[in-house]
């Protein structure tokens, strides 16, 4: 499967497109900003859906405009959504499959940074679009002790079950190979502080 990316918005945030190499069907993931750039990223493809990793404003800032221009459904986890956002067209549960041409994408519910966080793994290809679940340097920010605990559970029981060859494409910053960060994540889980929330690095 072909992966395309654009860094958009003031932070910036990574938007992605996944394209089936045989049918040229595509999905857009996290339309955060700069609608024209996102539409251009889909050149020479037939968009079939928009997928959301989560509903923080920097990840959905251009959603309604892009949704209207493309005329395709929006798929996301049925957890908390930003007030005023139009309802999603398909609610994704853990393990649900999205078919894109001859390719298959599987949704993994990975709460912590938000309750509605979803990662998208391509079947048979080491591609994982992970949103703000984790980054090259650490896990996604949390806003409560309970959320941080949830992040630890997600890392331990979900993320670390993926293959070392999995290339993680996060919502911000560079992609990375999971196997290159596995030891650091395991050390982080072994020494994570009690009663913590906020920004963390794998060295905490």
């Amino acid at each position: 499967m072909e992966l395309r990316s654009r860094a958009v918005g003031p932070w910036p945030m990574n938007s992605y497109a996944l394209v089936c190499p045989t049918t040229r069907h595509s999905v857009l993931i996290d339309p955060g900003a700069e609608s024209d750039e996102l539409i251009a990223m889909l050149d020479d493809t037939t968009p079939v859906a928009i997928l959301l990793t989560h509903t923080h404003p920097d990840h959905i800032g251009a959603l309604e405009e892009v949704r209207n221009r493309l005329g395709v459904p929006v798929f996301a986890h049925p957890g908390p959504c930003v007030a005023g956002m139009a309802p999603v067209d398909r609610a994704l549960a853990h393990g649900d499959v999205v078919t894109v041409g001859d390719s298959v994408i599987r949704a993994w519910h990975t709460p912590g940074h938000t309750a509605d966080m979803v990662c998208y793994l391509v079947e048979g290809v080491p591609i994982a679009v992970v949103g703000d679940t984790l980054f090259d340097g650490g896990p996604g920010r949390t806003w409560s002790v309970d959320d941080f605990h949830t992040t630890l559970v997600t890392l331990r029981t979900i993320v670390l079950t993926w293959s070392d060859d999995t290339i993680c494409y996060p919502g911000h910053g560079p992609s990375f190979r999971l196997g290159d960060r596995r030891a650091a994540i395991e050390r982080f889980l072994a020494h994570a502080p009690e009663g913590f929330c906020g920004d963390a690095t794998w060295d905490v």
Side-chain angles (χ1 to χ4, degrees), residues 5-84:
S5 65
R6 292 285 190 281
V8 296
W11 282 275
M13 194 281 302
N14 298 325
S15 291
Y16 297 98
L18 292 172
V19 183
C20 172
T22 54
T23 67
R24 309 306 295 167
H25 288 178
S26 65
V27 290
L28 176 65
I29 303 178
D30 286 358
E34 302 177 37
S35 300
D36 290 341
E37 283 290 316
L38 301 181
I39 299 296
M41 184 168 60
L42 301 172
D43 280 352
D44 303 318
T45 77
T46 301
V48 297
I50 297 169
L51 310 183
L52 305 181
T53 62
H54 64 299
T55 52
H56 274 170
D58 58 325
H59 287 252
I60 64 166
L63 173 60
E64 291 311 310
E65 181 179 351
V66 172
R67 177 189 225 171
N68 292 334
R69 290 173 65 177
L70 295 179
V72 298
V74 174
F75 299 175
H77 188 270
C81 289
V82 172

Side-chain angles (χ1 to χ4, degrees), residues 131-151:
D132 293 357
T133 300
L134 72 163
F135 305 104
D136 189 27
R141 179 180 173 83
T142 52
W143 284 267
S144 74
V145 173
D146 286 345
D147 288 345
F148 182 70
H149 175 74
T150 299
T151 288

Side-chain angles (χ1 to χ4, degrees), residues 108-119:
W108 294 66
H109 184 214
T110 54
H113 177 69
T114 65
D116 62 356
M117 178 68 64
V118 175
C119 295

Side-chain angles (χ1 to χ4, degrees), residues 74-160:
V74 174
F75 299 175
H77 188 270
C81 289
V82 172
M85 191 183 95
V88 301
D89 299 290
R90 178 183 169 189
L92 294 174
H94 184 78
D96 280 355
V97 163
V98 178
T99 301
V100 184
D102 295 334
S103 301
V104 173
I105 300 169
R106 191 172 298 276
W108 294 66
H109 184 214
T110 54
H113 177 69
T114 65
D116 62 356
M117 178 68 64
V118 175
C119 295
Y120 297 103
L121 275 66
V122 180
E123 298 278 300
V125 181
I127 292 174
V129 178
V130 299
D132 293 357
T133 300
L134 72 163
F135 305 104
D136 189 27
R141 179 180 173 83
T142 52
W143 284 267
S144 74
V145 173
D146 286 345
D147 288 345
F148 182 70
H149 175 74
T150 299
T151 288
L152 300 181
V153 172
T154 289
L155 292 170
R156 185 176 293 112
T157 64
I158 297 177
V159 172
L160 289 182

